[in-house]
Amino acid sequence: MKTSLKLVALFLLFTSTISAQNYKQRLNTIDIQHYKLAIIVNDTTNSIDATMSVKLKFKKSVNKFQLDLVKKDSISGLGMVIDSIYQNNVKVDFSHANEKLNIQAKHTFPGIEYTYTIKYHGIPKDGLIISKNLFGDRTFFGDNWPNRAHNWFPCVDHPSDKATIEYIIEAPNNYQIIANGFQVEETNITNTTKLSHWKTTVPLPTKVMVIGIAKFAVQNIGEIHNIPVSTWVYPQTKEQGFYDFSTAKNILNFFIENIGDYPYQKLANVQSKTRFGGMENAGNIFYYEKSVTGKLEHEDLITHEIAHQWFGNSASEIDWPHIWLSEGFATYLTDLYILESKGKDAFLKRIKEERQTVLNFYKRSKTPVIDTKTTNYMSLLNANSYQKGAWVLHMLRKKMGDALFWNGIKTYYQKYKFSNASSNDFKKVMANISGENLDTFFTQWLQKVGHPIIKPNWIYYDNKVRIIIEQTQETIFQFPLDLELIYSDGTSEIKTIQVNDKSEPYVLTTSGKVTAINFDPNSWLLFELVE
């Protein structure tokens, strides 16, 4: 997903702080296998009628368990009302308070699959956005990130418990319908309603489980490696949208060739009502309405969201503090696509801008990339998760070299596709591929606050440069630093020193008189230079 820091700040005004969830306790109790959501929407009200069938296995015998679902509140009238719950074919008791649905389980045995059928209705408080688009046409768009899915269907609303999902959607027949997976069926029920059935074959986190119901112009733009690629935009922006999203085929091809097989059955790029700049919903990416301009202005946005199909959607973070494994990856993979498609100068421009964004953010918020204290997930959409996460990968690429780096990325993806990983899991893969101990590297860049702030002093005499590198920040970092020595005859050469301490002297033999030194000339280090 992509959004601006200003936009995140605005969302935080309307988003209550979410208590840290003990996801491990529930993960050790139940394992969701499959969701089957039958949902009816209409043009008369914003209320939905739905039946969710949840297939799950218990990891231990329990007499009750918990799903997430927002309950209707009497003040706003928004939220869901439970009509009945059945375990297989037996009606069971339940309680529903705030955002938790507590279900009384009967005779549960570990490892056996049970189906809980939950019939409910209500007006979604969030998650399924029922409104009008910029042209005044009514639309229905899922928008679940980070844990807003439970506003419109019961689930385990955490990325650690993935499941397959299918939707049986009944809607007025003047709309087109898009959802995760492939379309199993489309049937006209009456003169005014249609049924659309979609189904996934691989598990997804709830954050990217969505449907979209609107008036669309749809273009099928071909297949890449047998993956159908399509564009879904409002009819009023048909020409512009078809042009803007035509670039998706090249982007998809780049990532398939460099990372591995595309994880889903289709790639649909959809103009929508998402609150984010782009939202990487699995197989059907939603983009904000005004991203469609007909000028190819948002190729980097499209690239970012397509990259998420591998990292964030398929190989997902195990818990929210590790969100850089999603956003940092998508940011840097976008940079690497720009390097491939637009060249080194465009790439370096982006890298330098991202570094400055990190330095500016540090002045406002001194937090680590792996932030275990923040419980308001929206606030994790910050420069640490995106730009600093990207810079960690950039420095790791320099440390490992291109060939080993890409091998590590491919290996990590293959190991954790359709599953979950922590930052430590990623570190282990890259350490194994590189043959190096990466503990210090990952600890200082991900778990510690800040970056090197260096103050250099140097003097040239008799074909030698004597340099003192002083780190002025509180936490001492260890890093290689490239120095470009500029000679009086206009030539230059690059030498590398290893910085380990707060203040270190270095003596470098030169090939002539040094008149200037450029620090990190090729932009491989996340640091700040002070005079």
Side-chain angles (χ1 to χ4, degrees):
M1 145 220 332
K2 226 176 176 187
T3 187
S4 69
L5 295 178
K6 184 183 293 185
L7 203 56
V8 171
L10 179 62
F11 292 151
L12 291 177
L13 295 175
F14 301 98
T15 307
S16 61
T17 300
I18 305 166
S19 298
Q21 182 185 37
N22 185 1
Y23 76 94
K24 291 183 180 180
Q25 181 178 351
R26 186 156 51 168
L27 189 62
N28 290 330
T29 302
I30 61 174
D31 181 10
I32 305 295
Q33 305 293 303
H34 182 70
Y35 296 105
K36 183 177 182 179
L37 175 62
I39 182 171
I40 301 172
V41 302
N42 64 82
D43 278 341
T44 305
T45 72
N46 288 346
S47 183
I48 63 172
D49 289 294
T51 300
M52 173 62 90
S53 296
V54 182
K55 291 183 179 180
L56 60 85
K57 291 181 179 180
F58 292 97
K59 296 183 177 180
K60 57 185 178 182
S61 294
V62 296
N63 55 21
K64 64 180 178 179
F65 67 97
Q66 193 175 78
L67 296 177
D68 302 314
L69 184 67
V70 172
K71 182 181 180 181
K72 178 180 178 179
D73 73 70
S74 58
I75 298 174
S76 69
L78 304 177
M80 296 298 141
V81 175
I82 301 295
D83 299 312
S84 63
I85 300 179
Y86 284 81
Q87 176 183 306
N88 296 335
N89 295 316
V90 178
K91 195 170 186 178
V92 294
D93 294 330
F94 63 89
S95 62
H96 191 194
N98 299 320
E99 300 184 4
K100 300 299 178 186
L101 178 58
N102 295 284
I103 299 174
Q104 299 297 318
K106 293 178 179 285
H107 313 299
T108 60
F109 295 92
I112 296 177
E113 189 173 88
Y114 296 82
T115 299
Y116 288 85
T117 303
I118 305 164
K119 184 173 176 55
Y120 64 99
H121 67 276
I123 301 174
K125 194 172 187 177
D126 199 350
L128 182 63
I129 310 304
I130 304 173
S131 61
K132 292 183 178 180
N133 66 19
L134 77 168
F135 298 106
D137 293 330
R138 186 170 168 84
T139 60
F140 309 75
F141 285 108
D143 203 31
N144 290 352
W145 201 95
N147 61 341
R148 291 154 57 222
H150 69 288
N151 282 279
W152 61 291
F153 63 82
C155 58
V156 173
D157 210 357
H158 190 274
S160 61
D161 195 355
K162 294 182 173 183
T164 52
I165 187 168
E166 62 183 305
Y167 311 89
I168 300 174
I169 305 160
E170 187 176 324
N173 61 14
N174 58 314
Y175 298 118
Q176 283 78 41
I177 299 171
I178 183 77
N180 309 111
F182 67 99
Q183 190 173 42
V184 177
E185 175 190 354
E186 183 174 86
T187 300
N188 289 324
I189 301 173
T190 68
N191 290 334
T192 59
T193 59
K194 68 163 64 168
L195 179 146
S196 186
H197 184 182
W198 295 77
K199 188 174 184 179
T200 71
T201 58
V202 296
L204 310 176
T206 54
K207 64 177 181 173
V208 293
M209 294 178 175
V210 297
I211 61 176
I213 305 170
K215 294 176 182 178
F216 287 118
V218 182
Q219 182 185 48
N220 296 306
I221 61 177
E223 294 187 353
I224 294 294
H225 297 266
N226 297 317
I227 301 299
V229 183
S230 60
T231 298
W232 298 60
V233 294
Y234 303 149
Q236 297 91 336
T237 56
K238 171 183 171 180
E239 183 178 345
Q240 299 95 318
F242 286 178
Y243 178 64
D244 283 343
F245 291 117
S246 63
T247 188
K249 291 175 67 176
N250 293 333
I251 298 167
L252 180 61
N253 185 64
F254 173 79
F255 288 135
I256 289 174
E257 290 186 348
N258 284 283
I259 301 171
D261 291 342
Y262 179 73
Y264 305 115
Q265 294 156 303
K266 69 175 187 305
L267 173 60
N269 292 293
V270 185
Q271 185 179 18
S272 81
K273 286 288 292 183
T274 179
R275 67 170 56 180
F276 304 105
M279 183 58 224
E280 61 268 18
N281 308 304
N284 43 268
I285 301 167
F286 288 0
Y287 300 88
Y288 77 105
E289 294 180 306
K290 293 184 179 180
S291 67
V292 176
T293 64
K295 300 177 183 178
L296 284 180
E297 293 177 310
H298 299 291
E299 186 176 27
D300 59 343
L301 171 63
I302 297 169
T303 306
H304 183 101
E305 304 310 330
I306 292 176
H308 269 309
Q309 305 305 300
W310 284 265
F311 299 105
N313 293 3
S314 181
S316 305
E317 63 275 9
I318 187 65
D319 197 12
W320 299 113
H322 302 276
I323 191 177
W324 83 278
L325 293 173
S326 174
E327 298 303 343
F329 272 58
T331 301
Y332 193 57
L333 288 169
T334 299
D335 295 334
L336 293 177
Y337 175 76
I338 296 298
L339 175 62
E340 173 75 13
S341 61
K342 291 184 168 52
K344 186 176 180 180
D345 288 346
F347 170 77
L348 287 176
K349 181 176 184 294
R350 290 178 64 87
I351 284 292
K352 290 176 182 178
E353 289 173 348
E354 289 166 5
R355 176 165 60 189
Q356 191 58 51
T357 299
V358 175
L359 302 185
N360 293 342
F361 180 73
Y362 173 73
K363 294 173 184 177
R364 302 191 306 271
S365 178
K366 291 176 173 53
T367 53
V369 173
I370 301 176
D371 183 355
T372 58
K373 295 181 179 180
T374 296
T375 56
N376 190 321
Y377 305 144
M378 280 290 187
S379 67
L380 293 175
L381 301 182
N382 59 43
N384 275 348
S385 301
Y386 287 77
Q387 289 85 359
K388 190 171 182 181
W391 259 92
V392 171
L393 294 174
H394 183 54
M395 292 184 290
L396 186 59
R397 177 173 154 241
K398 175 65 159 58
K399 186 176 182 66
M400 295 177 66
D402 275 13
L404 287 178
F405 174 79
W406 278 114
N407 187 15
I409 294 295
K410 291 176 182 177
T411 303
Y412 167 67
Y413 175 67
Q414 287 299 319
K415 184 171 184 177
Y416 291 102
K417 66 180 180 182
F418 311 129
S419 185
N420 297 84
S422 67
S423 302
N424 194 50
D425 293 326
F426 175 60
K427 180 190 73 175
K428 289 178 181 178
V429 170
M430 301 308 272
N432 184 59
I433 294 295
S434 67
E436 295 186 54
N437 186 322
L438 297 177
D439 290 350
T440 297
F441 179 90
F442 274 77
T443 297
Q444 69 182 11
W445 293 114
L446 295 175
Q447 295 176 258
K448 293 183 178 179
V449 174
H451 51 268
I453 303 173
I454 66 172
K455 182 178 182 180
N457 286 286
W458 65 273
I459 187 171
Y460 168 80
Y461 178 74
D462 193 22
N463 287 337
K464 285 185 172 55
V465 167
R466 290 167 172 80
I467 307 173
I468 293 178
I469 301 294
E470 180 185 358
Q471 297 190 56
T472 64
Q473 77 284 349
E474 183 176 340
T475 300
I476 303 306
F477 284 73
Q478 298 178 16
F479 54 91
L481 176 62
D482 292 340
L483 308 175
E484 183 182 20
L485 307 181
I486 310 298
Y487 296 123
S488 57
D489 63 0
T491 62
S492 68
E493 68 173 323
I494 294 177
K495 292 181 177 285
T496 303
I497 60 175
Q498 177 64 35
V499 179
N500 294 314
D501 296 321
K502 182 173 180 59
S503 181
E504 284 186 85
Y506 302 86
V507 178
L508 304 177
T509 300
T510 70
S511 301
K513 182 179 180 180
V514 176
T515 58
I517 298 178
N518 289 334
F519 295 87
D520 188 37
N522 294 315
S523 299
W524 283 111
L525 179 66
L526 178 60
F527 80 113
E528 193 171 349
L529 186 65
V530 295
E531 299 298 335

